[in-house]
Amino acid sequence: MICPRGSGRCLLSWAFFLTVLTLVLGGLVQAQPPGVPDDSNPGQFFTITEPITNATLEQVRAATRQFVDRSAGVVHGKSPVLVFEFRPGETAPGRSEFGISYDLAYYMMKNLGGAKTTVAYIPEPLKGYAVLAALACDEIVMGSQATLGPITPEDEAPRRDIIGSIRALADTKVRDHDLLLGMVDRTADLRAIRTTDKQIHYVMADNLPEFKKTHQVLEDLPAWEGGQRGVITAQRAREEGFSKLTADNPIEIAKIYKISGRSTADDPTLGQVLRPVRIKIEGPLDIVKKSYLTRRIEQARQEKVNLVFFEFNSEGGIDMPADAIADMIAGIKDMKTVAFINDRAIGVSVLAALACNEIVFKKGAEMGDVRQLVVGRGQVVLLNDGQIKAIANRAANLAEQKGHPVAVARAMVDPDVEVIEATDTKTGAVTQVVAADIQADPARYVNPRVRKSRGDVLTVTADDAISYGLGQVVNEPEDFLALYGLRGKLIRVDGPTWVDTLVTVLTDPIVSWILLFVGLFMLVLELKLPGIGLPAITSALAFLLFFWSHYLSGTADQLEIILFLVGLVCLALELFVFPGFGVFGMSGVLLILTSIVMASHTFVWPTQEYEYRELAYTLIQITVAMVAVGAGAVVIARYFPSLPLFNRLVLKPEPWTGTGLDDAIVKPSLEGYESLAFLIGESGRTTTMLRPSGKARFGDLLLDVTADGYFIEPDSLVEVIDVHGTRVTVKRLGA
């Protein structure tokens, strides 16, 4: 725009232009989708089990103080929510003593100023002096079947000091004096008065005339329902504002108060010095990985570790080992478990992450996309409908158990699941639910918004983790440690050791085949060439490595090892005690082969497609090994004695000392003998060691013979006791 110098109209035009430009740019800026605010609160559940004791008080003091201090140092600007969950113990409820119960209540009232809110969660009926601790909290949440009171046990009369303490508690927490006194003294006539302002007031009958002077009474009813004096039900507590709301499980509590981390269980690290360890979960989850994690977790437990970080970088794996790993992690009660998604937790590795108490994403990491299995030898198999249903149910179960969003967990597996974000009118919290839940109860969920449509499985990235309510996000590993007050501290990282590496190598299908071949071949070689010993040692070592590696990997157990040893015993009986290839020989071979097949898999009988393929591959592997052993035995029998080095290891028969010069006399031939039965009863001398097979000379005949029992040394006198075809059985005669 060009204007004459000093023109006022030009200045106005420029001002108008700048104003319009500012409004447009401002609109564009406002049109940008706002970032998802993190309105979550740090929080923790603390279980108080009846009866309340001094140990309970000390534990609560240590745990709450440490958690409040830790939250102040880690989550800046946010005070934590403390939820005290009251549970009955093994003894009859209502047995807590007044003194220790009031000490706990006093601590909750006076010493938890650093907390944003204290909440008493009462999922089951609570009575006795333990009620005082619940009343000392800022808010009360009851289960649908829970009741509260009476405070004074049935076998005791109200005490004046207790009544005074109740009045002080009511003043501090702004609760109705007469209602609490009515819960203490069940003989008192407590009335529920409805006034013209539609409010319910609890008034002792003695104070009712004075109350009517200042209030217009519409309705005067007994305070207690069904004659249960001193007891207030969950429904009435909710209707009259005594209880904030009704919740049937801790997960709903976590949603109501927007507790981050979903810490819906006691934290083993609270009140304790942090003893952390990081365990890496890398690569596909298989039976070898399960064995590795079992050893690492047990080692951590022996070292009194109370905080375990599982660092994930896994592309999935096999469903059964992954489920077993998830079950193992979910069952850890003495250590707090945290899944740190350093890169990815894809496929069935999602189950292991959902089994942890908390989930933390590194920036750029992702989790979900359970569409396929990564089976042996790197093969990828798509999930069938049955597997999708089973794994989705398992993921949902783990999520519910650990307080993660169930709908999100199910959507990671099932492409038909539609995730809706809506406001739950029951809890007032924004939550993720499946479309079927909204259809079943449309009045409960309002302001619905589709987060994930049908047609594909869900992959949650770090950018979406907070909005999905799945976990927290950090930029760097050091920020992750800062979440737990460990910034700058060295933490031991447990990865695969040399034992784990060796087990992985030895259980590789090719290496396993080599071990089987060497074991079987050397066993045959020892039987064919008795007296050497080296083949027997090599065979034993090969089989030892095979079963040891499969035992540590979890595919072989005591049963497989016992079957193999029994098979060897049967073969020994066939060779040394009951000559003739019969029942013991066949049984021994079958037992050995069965033990090898069973040791190669976790399943006893295949039920899935890839398991049938694995079984077929193992059978082919064993068949090829046996064919190779047979071929090797033939080659050895023909060429081994003539090799320059090895011919010295073979025991040869003693030289023929006959007087004839004819080759036929020097090496008598068996041609012309239709049967060797005529040798029965004949005696001769061994020319080699019989272990149990070897050679013996009977007159001019040098024969292959088999001892009927123990080994027989060379140059021993023997007698033929049985002949089957060309198989000659001998026994030792006296010297």
Side-chain angles (χ1 to χ4, degrees):
M1 180 182 297
I2 301 175
C3 298
R5 181 176 297 179
S7 173
R9 181 177 297 178
C10 183
L11 292 176
L12 289 175
S13 298
W14 272 106
F16 177 76
F17 174 74
L18 292 175
T19 301
V20 172
L21 181 62
T22 301
L23 291 175
V24 171
L25 291 177
L28 290 175
V29 171
Q30 292 181 358
Q32 297 293 329
V36 179
D38 183 9
D39 57 352
S40 60
N41 300 307
Q44 181 63 50
F45 281 66
F46 303 90
T47 302
I48 298 177
T49 304
E50 283 197 272
I52 298 173
T53 62
N54 286 319
T56 305
L57 176 59
E58 292 304 319
Q59 183 180 4
V60 170
R61 279 177 175 170
T64 53
R65 192 72 268 156
Q66 187 182 64
F67 182 75
V68 171
D69 293 343
R70 186 188 301 175
S71 299
V74 175
V75 188
H76 301 291
K78 290 188 177 182
S79 299
V81 176
L82 308 183
V83 182
F84 299 94
E85 183 174 351
F86 291 83
R87 291 282 184 180
E90 297 179 356
T91 60
R95 296 298 180 183
S96 299
E97 296 182 359
F98 169 73
I100 192 64
S101 299
Y102 188 77
D103 287 346
L104 178 59
Y106 187 86
Y107 172 77
M108 291 179 175
M109 287 189 297
K110 301 296 184 180
N111 296 94
L112 294 178
K116 179 179 181 179
T117 307
T118 57
V119 181
Y121 176 43
I122 306 169
E124 301 178 55
L126 181 67
K127 63 180 180 180
Y129 295 126
V131 174
L132 299 178
L135 296 175
C137 295
D138 299 330
E139 297 177 0
I140 296 176
V141 178
M142 299 176 67
S144 57
Q145 303 300 318
T147 58
L148 196 61
I151 295 177
T152 304
E154 295 181 3
D155 54 350
E156 294 184 20
R159 292 161 37 188
R160 286 190 177 182
D161 57 336
I162 295 178
I163 294 176
S165 301
I166 288 292
R167 290 185 181 277
L169 189 153
D171 289 336
T172 303
K173 292 300 178 182
V174 194
R175 303 196 188 280
D176 194 308
H177 289 76
D178 285 0
L179 174 60
L180 299 190
L181 292 175
M183 296 173 69
V184 173
D185 185 2
R186 286 175 290 175
T187 64
D189 185 9
L190 183 67
R191 313 298 297 179
I193 307 299
R194 185 181 299 276
T195 57
T196 54
D197 58 359
K198 299 181 180 181
Q199 297 294 317
I200 296 292
H201 303 268
Y202 291 96
V203 183
M204 291 291 184
D206 296 341
N207 300 330
L208 189 56
E210 188 68 25
F211 179 81
K212 289 182 177 179
K213 293 179 181 179
T214 56
H215 298 81
Q216 290 185 341
V217 177
L218 292 180
E219 193 174 28
D220 180 1
L221 297 173
W224 310 122
E225 301 175 77
Q228 289 186 302
R229 286 180 168 269
V231 179
I232 184 169
T233 63
Q235 181 179 357
R236 190 161 190 177
R238 178 73 178 92
E239 292 173 351
E240 298 171 5
F242 185 80
S243 172
K244 181 175 181 178
L245 49 88
T246 301
D248 292 325
N249 56 68
I251 298 175
E252 294 185 0
I253 305 292
K255 291 180 180 178
I256 295 165
Y257 292 96
K258 300 179 180 178
I259 296 177
S260 61
R262 298 296 185 262
S263 302
T264 56
D266 287 311
D267 186 347
T269 66
L270 294 176
Q272 305 291 328
V273 176
L274 286 179
R275 295 182 293 275
V277 68
R278 291 170 67 173
I279 299 178
K280 290 188 175 183
I281 301 181
E282 297 180 333
L285 302 187
D286 51 21
I287 193 65
V288 177
K289 193 62 58 63
K290 175 184 177 295
S291 176
Y292 149 72
L293 289 173
T294 301
R295 293 193 295 273
R296 296 285 78 76
I297 292 173
E298 186 57 33
Q299 179 185 357
R301 184 172 282 115
Q302 292 176 359
E303 295 174 353
K304 306 299 182 182
V305 168
N306 55 15
L307 179 58
V308 181
F309 300 126
F310 291 103
E311 187 173 328
F312 282 82
N313 182 14
S314 174
E315 64 273 19
I318 306 175
D319 51 348
M320 288 195 296
D323 184 50
I325 291 172
D327 191 56
M328 177 175 58
I329 295 176
I332 296 175
K333 304 300 181 185
D334 53 343
M335 295 179 281
K336 183 176 182 178
T337 56
V338 180
F340 177 42
I341 316 300
N342 189 29
D343 186 1
R344 54 181 176 167
I346 300 297
V348 291
S349 63
V350 164
L351 298 178
L354 291 172
C356 296
N357 299 123
E358 298 180 4
I359 301 175
V360 180
F361 287 75
K362 181 185 175 183
K363 197 71 174 178
E366 59 183 10
M367 172 181 172
D369 192 16
V370 188
R371 291 179 297 172
Q372 59 194 21
L373 302 177
V374 181
V375 298
R377 293 171 292 281
Q379 298 180 8
V380 175
V381 179
L382 295 178
L383 297 175
N384 57 42
D385 292 340
Q387 291 171 326
I388 290 175
K389 182 178 180 181
I391 297 176
N393 290 336
R394 180 62 172 144
N397 178 267
L398 288 168
E400 184 176 10
Q401 181 181 349
K402 294 299 180 179
H404 307 304
V406 175
V408 174
R410 190 177 290 277
M412 290 180 180
V413 185
D414 192 348
D416 293 331
V417 170
E418 183 178 10
V419 180
I420 307 294
E421 184 179 271
T423 302
D424 187 351
T425 57
K426 179 181 178 181
T427 63
V430 176
T431 185
Q432 315 289 329
V433 295
V434 297
D437 291 341
I438 295 182
Q439 295 171 1
D441 192 359
R444 177 176 176 178
Y445 300 99
V446 297
N447 304 323
R449 180 172 71 93
V450 177
R451 290 298 306 273
K452 181 262 176 187
S453 302
R454 292 185 178 90
D456 202 358
V457 294
L458 176 65
T459 301
V460 178
T461 64
D463 296 334
D464 300 326
I466 294 177
S467 64
Y468 274 116
L470 190 60
Q472 304 178 73
V473 181
V474 296
N475 291 323
E476 299 294 338
E478 191 65 22
D479 297 332
F480 165 67
L481 297 179
L483 280 177
Y484 298 91
L486 298 170
R487 183 186 291 275
K489 295 185 178 181
L490 294 177
I491 299 177
R492 191 182 81 243
V493 179
D494 281 355
T497 63
W498 69 269
V499 175
D500 302 302
T501 304
L502 181 59
V503 169
T504 302
V505 171
L506 293 178
T507 53
D508 181 81
I510 297 178
V511 178
S512 293
W513 182 88
I514 294 174
L515 290 176
L516 287 178
F517 171 76
V518 172
L520 294 172
F521 180 73
M522 288 299 175
L523 181 61
V524 171
L525 187 62
E526 176 65 24
L527 296 177
K528 288 292 184 181
L529 303 173
I532 299 178
L534 183 60
I537 296 174
T538 306
S539 176
L541 181 60
F543 282 123
L544 179 65
L545 289 175
F546 177 84
F547 281 100
W548 174 77
S549 60
H550 284 78
Y551 178 81
L552 288 184
S553 70
T555 57
D557 209 337
Q558 290 88 346
L559 176 61
E560 288 79 3
I561 298 174
I562 291 173
L563 289 178
F564 181 79
L565 294 177
V566 172
L568 290 180
V569 171
C570 289
L571 286 180
L573 290 174
E574 177 68 27
L575 293 173
F576 304 139
V577 181
F578 306 104
F581 196 77
V583 176
F584 285 100
M586 292 298 298
S587 299
V589 172
L590 288 176
L591 286 173
I592 290 175
L593 295 179
T594 301
S595 67
I596 292 173
V597 172
M598 293 177 63
S600 301
H601 311 103
T602 55
F603 54 85
V604 177
W605 190 258
T607 57
Q608 303 183 41
E609 183 180 353
Y610 81 89
E611 291 179 349
Y612 281 103
R613 286 200 301 269
E614 288 291 312
L615 179 60
Y617 184 86
T618 300
L619 294 176
I620 293 173
Q621 185 182 46
I622 294 175
T623 302
V624 172
M626 294 183 66
V627 171
V629 168
V634 172
V635 172
I636 288 295
R638 183 170 183 178
Y639 297 107
F640 191 85
S642 62
L643 295 178
L645 176 62
F646 296 102
N647 59 359
R648 298 181 182 179
L649 300 176
V650 180
L651 292 177
K652 298 179 180 180
E654 63 182 14
W656 171 246
T657 58
T659 57
L661 301 176
D662 193 340
D663 288 342
I665 298 176
V666 176
K667 297 181 180 179
S669 174
L670 295 181
E671 293 181 4
Y673 294 103
E674 296 181 358
S675 173
L676 297 176
F678 68 91
L679 289 174
I680 296 178
E682 294 291 331
S683 60
R685 285 191 176 276
T686 59
T687 60
T688 66
M689 174 76 77
L690 304 188
R691 293 191 175 187
S693 299
K695 294 183 181 294
R697 185 180 299 283
F698 300 91
D700 294 339
L701 297 179
L702 183 64
L703 304 176
D704 291 318
V705 297
T706 302
D708 70 333
Y710 300 100
F711 295 165
I712 301 177
E713 294 78 10
D715 199 26
S716 298
L717 189 62
V718 294
E719 178 185 354
V720 178
I721 60 174
D722 193 14
V723 174
H724 288 284
T726 59
R727 181 181 177 91
V728 179
T729 305
V730 300
K731 70 175 183 178
R732 182 200 302 267
L733 293 177

